[in-house]
């Protein structure tokens, strides 16, 4: 990938070359904010409106989708959300603000088969649209220090409409994790009108870390993967 952040770059000017260091994005410069309004149905499906806004380094990751064919865009989003079975991509609208380095993706999505049914219960994972799934490899003995190249911040806020006739039987309230590598927290709260609000913030800190820190870093990621799979159990009234 041709990222040009945090590099020494030789600028050639008429009076000679000079080496300048390009901008270092901190976590607040490289934000991905995902907002969604989701309506579950009692068969386990959903319809959703999703907005993803990215800045900084995260803008660089997303930029370019607007230039693809509609078919390739739909394939991209199906891969991006590969945690959702039988995902149907409806409307896609993309705004690329190159001047302010802000990228905005607005989508309509649906699936007929997201939540699992068990008797008179419906069980689903409320983090539908921004899951961490990969854990760094395990080493019996780490030989080298390791580096996190870039800081970033992910903010997620999903409003989930629960179907008529169902109510929450069980759900985790949330989790806070604070490490030298970054922070992670999520919470789920009940709103009026039979809605749930799921919020999540994940910050990763750029840096060089000692080889002795690797196990703790891997554990941090393992905890994120586990918490991103948290479930809500709904039961028929």
């Amino acid at each position: 990938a041709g990222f040009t952040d945090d590099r020494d770059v030789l600028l050639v000017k008429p009076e000679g070359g000079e080496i300048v260091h390009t901008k270092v994005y901190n976590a607040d410069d490289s934000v991905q904010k995902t907002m969604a309004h989701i309506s579950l149905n009692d068969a386990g499906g959903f319809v959703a409106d999703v907005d993803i806004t990215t800045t900084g380094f995260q803008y660089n990751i997303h930029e370019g989708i607007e230039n693809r064919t509609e078919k390739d865009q739909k394939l991209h989003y199906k891969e991006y959300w590969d945690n959702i079975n039988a995902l149907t991509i409806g409307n896609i609208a993309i705004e690329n603000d190159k001047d302010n380095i802000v990228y905005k993706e607005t989508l309509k999505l649906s699936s007929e088969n997201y939540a699992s049914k068990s008797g008179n219960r419906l069980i689903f994972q409320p983090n539908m649209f921004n899951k961490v799934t990969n854990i760094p490899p395990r080493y019996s003995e780490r030989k080298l220090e390791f580096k996190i190249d870039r800081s970033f911040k992910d903010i997620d806020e999903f409003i989930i409409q629960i179907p008529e006739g169902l109510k929450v039987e069980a759900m985790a309230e949330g989790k806070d994790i604070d490490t030298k590598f970054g922070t992670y927290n999520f919470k789920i709260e009940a709103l009026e009108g039979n809605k749930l609000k799921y919020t999540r913030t994940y910050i990763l800190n750029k840096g060089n870390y000692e080889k002795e820190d690797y196990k703790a870093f891997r554990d941090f990621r393992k905890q994120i993967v586990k918490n991103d799979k948290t479930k809500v159990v709904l039961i028929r009234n």
Side-chain angles (χ1 to χ4, degrees):
F3 301 129
T4 55
D5 59 310
D6 194 15
R7 297 283 181 272
D8 290 321
V9 178
L10 179 63
L11 282 187
V12 179
K13 296 182 172 180
E15 63 273 21
E18 68 172 291
I19 290 181
V20 295
H21 194 78
T22 58
K23 178 179 173 66
V24 178
Y25 290 123
N26 66 33
D28 283 324
D29 296 321
S30 285
V31 174
Q32 174 182 279
K33 187 168 190 180
T34 306
M35 310 285 284
H37 281 84
I38 301 144
S39 290
L40 280 179
N41 65 44
D42 56 9
F46 72 81
V47 293
D49 292 302
V50 184
D51 290 307
I52 307 169
T53 305
T54 42
T55 63
F57 157 63
Q58 302 230 61
Y59 165 97
N60 290 336
I61 297 172
H62 287 246
E63 195 203 13
I65 303 164
E66 78 277 12
N67 299 323
R68 301 186 194 179
T69 64
E70 185 185 357
K71 182 183 173 187
D72 281 350
Q73 286 178 352
K74 288 186 174 182
L75 282 171
H76 163 79
Y77 289 113
K78 284 186 177 186
E79 284 173 16
Y80 186 76
W81 287 307
D82 63 0
N83 57 298
I84 300 173
N85 295 324
L87 180 64
T88 299
I89 314 285
N91 196 40
I92 301 169
I94 297 172
E95 291 173 43
N96 184 359
D97 182 347
K98 293 182 179 180
D99 294 334
N100 296 305
I101 315 182
V102 178
Y103 199 76
K104 186 166 183 183
E105 300 156 72
T106 304
L107 296 104
K108 285 193 176 295
L109 310 173
S110 62
S111 168
E112 292 179 10
N113 178 25
Y114 181 71
S116 54
K117 292 185 83 168
S118 174
N120 59 349
R121 290 177 175 82
L122 209 56
I123 301 158
F124 72 98
Q125 298 180 12
N127 183 359
M128 299 165 77
F129 300 118
N130 195 15
K131 272 186 161 55
V132 173
T133 55
N134 61 322
I135 299 169
R138 173 189 266 135
Y139 299 99
S140 54
E141 194 182 336
R142 176 85 189 179
K143 298 288 197 295
L144 299 168
E145 65 169 23
F146 65 101
K147 183 179 181 185
I148 296 171
D149 281 335
R150 294 177 175 88
S151 300
F152 67 76
K153 182 182 202 173
D154 281 6
I155 303 165
D156 305 293
E157 186 178 296
F158 309 154
I159 306 291
I160 302 161
Q161 177 71 58
I162 295 168
E164 289 269 324
L166 287 165
K167 64 177 183 181
V168 173
E169 181 184 39
M171 69 180 187
E173 288 183 358
K175 181 81 174 175
D176 281 291
I177 305 167
D178 193 350
T179 73
K180 67 166 80 173
F181 316 107
T183 59
Y184 169 92
N185 65 70
F186 85 86
K187 65 180 178 181
I188 310 173
E189 50 200 318
L191 303 180
E192 284 185 10
N194 215 24
K195 292 186 174 90
L196 295 177
K197 181 181 180 183
Y198 172 88
T199 48
R200 172 186 181 275
T201 305
Y202 171 31
I203 297 170
L204 193 64
N205 298 326
K206 161 190 167 72
N208 295 305
Y209 297 96
E210 301 294 324
K211 61 180 187 288
E212 291 79 14
D213 288 331
Y214 185 78
K215 184 179 182 302
F217 171 63
R218 189 170 180 274
D219 287 345
F220 176 48
R221 284 291 291 254
K222 271 174 79 173
Q223 286 190 70
I224 294 170
V225 168
K226 178 180 169 232
N227 281 287
D228 274 357
K229 290 179 182 166
T230 195
K231 292 188 172 83
V232 172
V233 181
L234 305 177
I235 190 163
R236 208 160 290 291
N237 286 337

